[in-house]
Amino acid sequence: MRAPKFKLLDTVALLEDIPARKLRAGEVGTIVEILNENVYEVEFSDNDGQTYAQFALRADQIIPLHSRGRPLRMNMAEV
């Protein structure tokens, strides 16, 4: 069995509209369960953290989002 394309708690974006769920391509969600190697339970939440949709999606319906900024370094003398 291949390793899953996505990991638990990965942030993903929807690649296609899903009119039945009132979701549009580009909406951002979180992987909350891995159902099998190509199917993931994705939760979509608003800015207040309230879930407005949660359901299974195929790997070809989502794309991973990455945050790869510079590490934050704090000068402890400034804190």
Side-chain angles (χ1 to χ4, degrees):
M1 182 173 166
R2 289 185 342 205
K5 182 175 183 178
F6 300 98
K7 298 185 308 288
L8 196 61
L9 302 180
D10 276 355
T11 302
V12 297
L14 192 56
L15 288 173
E16 59 189 50
D17 292 346
I18 303 181
R21 300 287 188 150
K22 298 181 181 174
L23 292 174
R24 298 176 67 183
E27 292 199 49
V28 176
T30 304
I31 303 285
V32 294
E33 190 169 346
I34 299 171
L35 302 175
N36 72 44
E37 70 178 271
N38 289 312
V39 180
Y40 304 88
E41 185 83 9
V42 180
E43 177 182 273
F44 295 88
S45 301
D46 64 19
N47 290 338
D48 295 321
Q50 297 298 310
T51 301
Y52 61 86
Q54 182 174 329
F55 56 97
L57 291 168
R58 297 182 319 271
D60 65 345
Q61 294 178 290
I62 53 178
I63 187 170
L65 298 179
H66 300 283
S67 175
R68 297 187 187 209
R70 291 182 301 156
L72 179 62
R73 293 178 189 230
M74 296 181 68
N75 182 344
M76 292 308 288
E78 295 175 7
V79 177

